[in-house]
Every structure is written in C-alpha cells, then in structure tokens.
Amino acid sequence: MSRALVLNASFEPLCVVSTRRALILVLDSKAEVVHETGGYFHSERSAFPEPSVVRLCQYIRVAYQARVALNRRAIFARDGHRCQYCGGTAESIDHVIPRSRGGPHSWDNVVAACRPCNSRKQDRLLHETTFTLRRTPTAPRGRAWILAASGAVRPDWEPYLGVSGTLSA
Ligand SMILES: [Zn+2]
C-alpha cells in the first residue's frame, strides 16, 4: 500500500497515511495536495492523482508527543540496521538483559543484533560476556522517528521532515 505524508497547515509533518486516505482528505476539502506520486486512482468516470504529500487546510494543535511503538521495524530504524555489539548487519532483536533473566521488553532493553552475536551472547548478562554496547539503547524521540518507524520515507517527503541523514544517528 502506498503511503502519503500529512503536513499540518504550518507544513510540519504530522503523520503517514495511505494515499487513498490522503486522497479522501483532499476530496473532502480537508487537505490540499502538495506533491503527487505520479500514479492515479481511477473511478468509473474520472482519475485522481495519487497524493504523496498533503497539507491540512486547518491547523491542528498537537498536544503531546506520540510514543513510538516498540516493534522490530522501529528498533532496526533506531539502530540503523546495525548490530549494536559488532556493528555488522542486524538481522535479529536481542534483549540486553535476557527475558529469561527478568529483562523487560522495553526500548532501553532491546537492540538490533546480528545472528552470530545474538547466539554467542545466549542467555547471559553483559558483564558475563565480552560484549559491549556501542550505544545505550533509549526510546526514540521526535517526529522523525515516528516517521522512520512507519516505513520507507519517500524522497519528496524529506524537505518536510528535515531529517535526511539523522534517522540512523
Ligand atoms: Zn553482531
């Protein structure tokens, strides 16, 4: 499913929705198209350009910073798809304090890891191994992370995100 970036009336990024949902916002006069994907939605009588970026007509107050859901894609995005022990390509998720030793499934206890590190570490605590973390894991903050966790960022979204290159920092 294609996705579209929704901007606030102030051009700040708000969220990512399906392009179909973005088109409905436009047809309902709730948003205007800023960029198009080049594709089209076809109805019986007409064709509508598929939106890539839309901007809300009315400013929406964002009262709180949404939390980033803890899932595999978001963890890989936070850790730049790098094993947090050796820097290799991450293929799995490791609990720093193993679940079997009471470690929680939380942002500060999960890291991206390659399979060799993950299997060599086993159910041991860090101080029982020679492993060290390249970076202390924390919950990602900021809208850029929310967007990163939502999947691929289209090139025409980048000017609005202002995050090019910072997603893996
Ligand atoms: Zn590794």
Side-chain angles (χ1 to χ4, degrees), residues 35 154-163:
H35 290 286
R154 295 176 52 89
D156 54 3
W157 297 4
E158 284 176 6
Y160 306 99
L161 302 181
V163 294

Side-chain angles (χ1 to χ4, degrees), residues 22-23 26 31-37 49-55:
L23 178 63
V26 172
E32 61 179 20
V33 175
V34 180
H35 290 286
E36 297 168 357
T37 65
E50 184 181 34
S52 173
V53 180
V54 299
R55 174 182 171 231

Side-chain angles (χ1 to χ4, degrees), residues 77-166:
R78 181 196 65 182
D79 293 345
H81 295 261
R82 291 280 144 207
C83 173
Q84 293 303 293
Y85 298 113
C86 75
T89 302
E91 307 152 301
S92 62
I93 302 298
D94 182 59
H95 289 89
V96 180
I97 301 170
R99 299 284 273 166
S100 61
R101 307 281 289 265
H105 186 62
S106 60
W107 274 111
D108 54 6
N109 193 48
V110 294
V111 291
C114 69
R115 282 194 208 291
C117 285
N118 207 335
S119 61
R120 277 199 300 133
K121 182 166 167 282
Q122 300 178 313
D123 284 343
R124 292 180 294 171
L125 299 173
L126 273 192
H127 72 264
E128 299 168 345
T129 70
T130 57
F131 287 108
T132 52
L133 283 169
R134 297 161 70 85
R135 196 164 53 195
T136 304
T138 55
R141 302 202 189 284
R143 201 150 295 285
W145 288 111
I146 295 165
L147 295 165
S150 72
V153 170
R154 295 176 52 89
D156 54 3
W157 297 4
E158 284 176 6
Y160 306 99
L161 302 181
V163 294
S164 187
T166 63

Side-chain angles (χ1 to χ4, degrees), residues 4-74:
L5 176 65
V6 179
L7 303 176
N8 212 336
S10 57
F11 284 96
E12 285 162 312
L14 276 180
C15 59
V16 175
V17 299
S18 69
T19 52
R20 178 169 291 277
R21 173 83 189 119
L23 178 63
I24 290 167
L25 286 172
V26 172
L27 295 179
D28 285 348
S29 302
K30 296 206 168 87
E32 61 179 20
V33 175
V34 180
H35 290 286
E36 297 168 357
T37 65
Y40 285 87
F41 284 113
H42 294 277
S43 72
E44 263 180 55
R45 293 206 176 81
S46 46
F48 302 96
E50 184 181 34
S52 173
V53 180
V54 299
R55 174 182 171 231
L56 295 181
C57 300
Q58 287 207 308
Y59 182 77
I60 290 187
R61 275 184 75 92
V62 184
Y64 64 96
Q65 185 75 65
R67 289 173 63 91
V68 182
L70 178 59
N71 59 44
R72 188 182 171 88
R73 186 165 66 186

